[in-house]
Amino acid sequence: MKSVHGLILCGGKSTRMGQDKTSVLLQGKPLITHSIELFASLNIDFHLSVNPNQKELIENYPSVIDQFDAVGPLGGILTGLKSIGKDILIIPVDMPQLTKNLLLKLVDTFGNHELVRCFQRNGRIEPFPSLWKSEATSLLNELLDERELSLQKCITRLPHHLLDSTDSEVFRNLNYPEDLG
């Protein structure tokens, strides 16, 4: 496996879910466990991207505390890039259908010319999972300074490569309690 580091985004407010998504049970396991097991299956070291209120996660897992307030996942990505200083493979905690094979497609074909690699489905960019080069940090910082918070727009403004996928279920994220059933 190429030298990449994992980052699990789990610092969101979870407002629609009504509780911290990391502890939500799916198939008898917390969502955070699904993400950790996925990285373990790839033998990838990881950090959690958390908010400062997630004390239990900070105490129990390697974590980076999001340095940006109210900018969504872009803040977690940028904090991860700055703190870890390596190319990072990013997954959100609320996408438990992600597979080892899907992540391997990102890592195995990562080229020298793009700063970000992710999937597209039916012509729409799927920002997660994604692989980001550490060199993207300064350009992402500039986009954040411009208040560009849309990940799809950020990706299109960076050197990128999109892999095609037709699997809609794997990209489904869990936002509401009814999504769990």
Side-chain angles (χ1 to χ4, degrees):
M1 168 92 30
K2 293 182 182 178
S3 178
V4 298
H5 196 85
L7 183 68
I8 302 170
L9 297 178
C10 51
K13 295 178 183 171
S14 303
T15 306
R16 293 173 287 185
M17 185 61 75
Q19 71 180 81
D20 187 336
K21 289 182 184 180
T22 61
S23 61
V24 169
L25 296 180
L26 180 69
Q27 300 166 347
K29 294 189 289 193
L31 287 179
I32 192 67
T33 302
H34 290 271
S35 299
I36 290 169
E37 288 176 349
L38 181 57
F39 278 143
S41 74
L42 293 163
N43 199 28
I44 292 178
D45 291 332
F46 68 91
H47 275 77
L48 306 183
S49 173
V50 299
N51 69 56
N53 299 321
Q54 293 174 300
K55 306 279 187 228
E56 187 175 328
L57 294 176
I58 295 167
E59 291 170 6
N60 292 299
Y61 299 99
S63 301
V64 294
I65 299 172
D66 195 339
Q67 300 169 2
F68 302 92
D69 190 37
V71 298
L74 181 59
I77 294 170
L78 194 49
T79 296
L81 286 168
K82 286 180 173 185
S83 301
I84 297 166
K86 296 180 182 179
D87 297 348
I88 54 175
L89 178 59
I90 301 174
I91 63 173
V93 73
D94 63 0
M95 290 179 72
Q97 302 300 325
L98 294 176
T99 65
K100 179 179 179 177
N101 286 337
L102 189 75
L103 297 185
L104 283 173
K105 285 180 188 177
L106 285 174
V107 175
D108 288 346
T109 58
F110 201 36
N112 293 324
H113 302 292
E114 70 258 11
L115 293 179
V116 62
R117 175 172 289 242
C118 59
F119 290 93
Q120 67 178 346
R121 188 171 50 89
N122 300 325
R124 183 181 187 281
I125 292 174
E126 295 287 351
F128 300 116
S130 51
L131 186 55
W132 295 75
K133 284 198 185 245
S134 60
E135 292 88 351
T137 305
S138 61
L139 291 172
L140 267 184
N141 227 15
E142 290 174 20
L143 292 171
L144 184 60
D145 288 345
E146 295 172 17
R147 299 303 295 169
E148 179 56 74
L149 303 181
S150 163
L151 276 179
Q152 286 88 349
K153 288 180 182 174
C154 286
I155 290 167
T156 60
R157 291 181 61 186
L158 297 173
H160 64 279
H161 184 80
L162 303 175
L163 300 172
D164 290 316
S165 179
T166 56
D167 186 351
S168 61
E169 190 61 25
V170 75
F171 295 104
R172 187 172 71 91
N173 60 336
L174 306 177
N175 287 318
Y176 300 95
E178 53 268 20
D179 293 340
L180 299 167

